[in-house]
Amino acid sequence: MNIFEYFKKKGIDTIDSSFYTKIAAWDSWYRSNVRNFHQYRVYHGASNYERCQRKSLSMAKKLCEDISDLLLNERVKITVKDETTAAFVESVLNAANFTVQGNEYQERKAACGTVAYVPYLTNMEIDDQGRVVNAEVKLDYVVAKNIFPTAWENSRITEVIFVFEKTYKRKKYAQFQHHKLEPRKDETTGESLGFQYVIENSVVLCTSGAGRELTPEEWNQIPHFEGLAARVETGSDQPQFVIDKLNIANNVDEDDSNPMGISLFANSVDVLAKLDLEYDSYANEFSLGRKRIFVSPEMLTNVDGAPVFDPHDSVFYQLPEDYFKDTKEAMHEVNPTLRIQEHEQAINNDLNLLSFKCGFGTQYYRFERGSVVTATQVISENSDMYRTIRKHEIILGDALTDLIRCIIRLGQTANVPGLVLETDITIDFDDSIIEDKQTERQEDRQDVAMGAMSLQEYRAKWYGETEEVAEQKLPDQSGGILM
């Protein structure tokens, strides 16, 4: 199925298909499986070719793993001030396995530039007036290749189509979920009530061309889409989706208004290619440069015809008879010189260039003893990495906050009691690689001892609590101060 033919048939405008070709290319580098690069042919003469698989350092994958670990890991604390609301949000995120999936989709975001989080209601109970009585809040994750913006402003996507691919009885289906803003009017008076988000669903059987669109009756016969509504009016002018992307300007599309993000290594593909060429050559150096012993035919067998050497030992190579007639040798040993240092120096030079271009600074990666080693030292606040992390945290912090607000709104729609939409939300990112946490904590303890910091402030900072919760959990101060 060609998604863009389907969009054309439906009269839907989105980003040019050429941009999704770039997304596919980034994904192939992320998987170290680039067509016509990692698979290639070697010509041996006389019309003989050998198919080869180029060895890879997989640095695109490594870059994405490292930036995701720096941005969203187990040390990141999300604090919701209202306790009832916090418990509800935590239950939804836990059910969506966000601790694991959140980090994984940061990695996928770095690989292809954009991801989306789409909360939704399921298992709904509806009353006679069509109002939701009860429901569960779930969370979907979407990768860049399945995100198609249809409206945007100042790089913020306001309307979008998400594609969810499913397989049932060996047939492939695509669910198109279109989030768009529409005018809202009072059904009685016709008075304008502003705008609301509407979610329109359609299901297409993936055949050639634009595919075949199913009717609601047809898709309800498929378990994956059973109960899927063709149209949902949210009643809210706030989107029921969150777009998350890297804080890097999109320079790969001629359309500067393109709201999609780009890969962390979008402008470093040439360096990735050079690294894999060097690493493949480095690996081949040991194969091509192994010791060889050239022997004359009479040296291969004893007088009784039994082989002298192991026939499976690749170090021995039989030469034609009388080859050594001039030198009078029985065998000749060859020990090629391995260019280990030259290869390692070339790889390290390009690792420095790659890490610098991707915002990690120089010396972040080193190639030692055949593998890549990552620097683990504490970095300073004026370093390239510090600025890179802080820059990406701007968008990620807003995305996490928007996701939590969206979950709370859906919880209120599902009539979950006690939820507070405007409660304070704090995202405390992990700065352990930027700051020496142990030193900082010891300094704060000294401030508490001097009276320059209260125990309430100390607990709020180091235990991820609000000041109100911290005050309730303070120990009996008659027993002394915290050290």
Side-chain angles (χ1 to χ4, degrees), residues 344-401:
E344 290 186 351
Q345 183 61 53
I347 292 173
N348 275 316
N349 288 343
D350 283 323
L351 283 176
N352 279 337
L353 181 59
L354 179 68
S355 62
F356 173 74
K357 292 189 68 175
C358 294
F360 291 90
T362 58
Q363 306 298 323
Y364 188 73
Y365 296 113
R366 298 188 311 278
F367 186 75
E368 294 180 354
R369 299 177 182 176
S371 62
V372 176
V373 180
T374 305
T376 57
Q377 71 273 14
V378 175
I379 66 175
S380 63
E381 292 190 3
N382 62 352
S383 68
D384 292 332
M385 176 174 282
Y386 177 85
R387 291 193 294 269
T388 297
I389 295 171
R390 281 289 181 257
K391 182 176 72 170
H392 293 318
E393 284 176 354
I394 293 172
I395 291 182
L396 178 56
D398 289 343
L400 293 176
T401 302

Side-chain angles (χ1 to χ4, degrees), residues 284-330:
N284 287 333
E285 190 76 4
F286 293 90
S287 175
L288 299 175
R290 66 180 184 268
K291 176 197 287 285
R292 283 180 172 83
I293 299 176
F294 298 96
V295 297
S296 58
E298 61 269 17
M299 294 293 297
L300 296 178
T301 58
N302 294 319
V303 292
D304 59 357
V308 174
F309 306 109
D310 184 352
H312 300 291
D313 193 337
S314 61
V315 73
F316 297 102
Y317 188 90
Q318 178 182 348
L319 290 176
E321 191 173 356
D322 297 331
Y323 190 88
F324 291 128
K325 64 181 179 180
D326 294 331
T327 60
K328 307 298 184 182
E329 292 179 283

Side-chain angles (χ1 to χ4, degrees), residues 34 48 53 58 112 153 157 210 217 219 253 282 297 322 328 331 335 356 372 380-381 435 483:
V34 180
N48 292 320
Q53 179 73 28
S58 300
C112 296
E153 183 178 0
I157 297 172
E217 292 75 17
W219 79 54
D253 197 331
Y282 178 86
D322 297 331
K328 307 298 184 182
M331 61 179 62
N335 292 295
F356 173 74
V372 176
S380 63
E381 292 190 3
E435 303 163 354
M483 287 295 292

Side-chain angles (χ1 to χ4, degrees), residues 41 44 67 79 81 92 112-113 140 146 155 197 251 254 282-283 294 332 349 393 402 430 432 437 467 472:
R41 296 193 306 171
H44 292 299
I67 196 67
T79 305
K81 185 175 182 180
V92 173
C112 296
D140 273 335
N146 293 329
S155 295
Y197 270 95
N251 69 329
E254 294 181 359
Y282 178 86
F294 298 96
H332 181 77
N349 288 343
E393 284 176 354
D402 290 345
D430 173 33
S432 59
K437 288 291 189 181
E467 292 193 5
Q472 296 174 4

